[in-house]
Amino acid sequence: MSLKLRPLVDRVIVEPVERDETFVGGELVLPETAKEKPQQGIILAAGPGRSDDDGDRIALEVQVGDRVLYARHSGTEVKLDDKKVRIFRETDILAVVES
């Protein structure tokens, strides 16, 4: 996917990753309205970071390709080329998932 957004300052663009909806003992299909929103995603783009009081740039702690956890209702959802992405401030990210 060619990303047509460039995040500013301390913002990142995250592609949500759906959880596996596997159930033991058979198939169960949940309607979209019953599924929980993902709380995990991959960073697709990151801004340059914010500036401190002296004008020095403070780099982000996360980078493109990191798998991150975020609060369920945080960020702003945007639809790009039939794909939903979320835009967060770096402070909205709770953790980086280490492999």
Side-chain angles (χ1 to χ4, degrees):
M1 171 173 120
S2 174
L3 199 58
K4 297 176 184 172
L5 291 177
R6 180 176 49 92
L8 302 176
V9 193
D10 65 342
R11 289 179 175 78
V12 296
I13 298 174
V14 174
E15 179 180 8
V17 176
E18 297 288 334
R19 298 189 310 173
D20 289 336
E21 296 290 338
T22 307
F23 299 95
V24 177
E27 235 179 83
L28 177 63
V29 178
L30 292 176
E32 285 299 315
T33 55
K35 291 183 180 179
E36 288 188 22
K37 288 187 175 190
Q39 291 177 263
Q40 194 172 138
I42 305 293
I43 295 180
L44 301 178
R50 63 182 177 81
S51 298
D52 65 11
D53 293 336
D54 297 325
D56 296 324
R57 183 74 63 189
I58 301 172
L60 300 180
E61 291 185 49
V62 295
Q63 57 188 329
V64 173
D66 282 350
R67 180 179 283 256
V68 295
L69 298 177
Y70 50 86
R72 181 170 292 140
H73 300 290
S74 62
T76 301
E77 188 172 88
V78 177
K79 192 171 184 179
L80 289 175
D81 300 328
D82 297 325
K83 188 173 252 183
K84 291 180 182 176
V85 296
R86 297 183 74 83
I87 301 173
F88 297 97
R89 286 190 175 272
E90 184 185 35
T91 55
D92 291 335
I93 296 173
L94 305 174
V96 175
V97 179
E98 299 288 338
S99 52

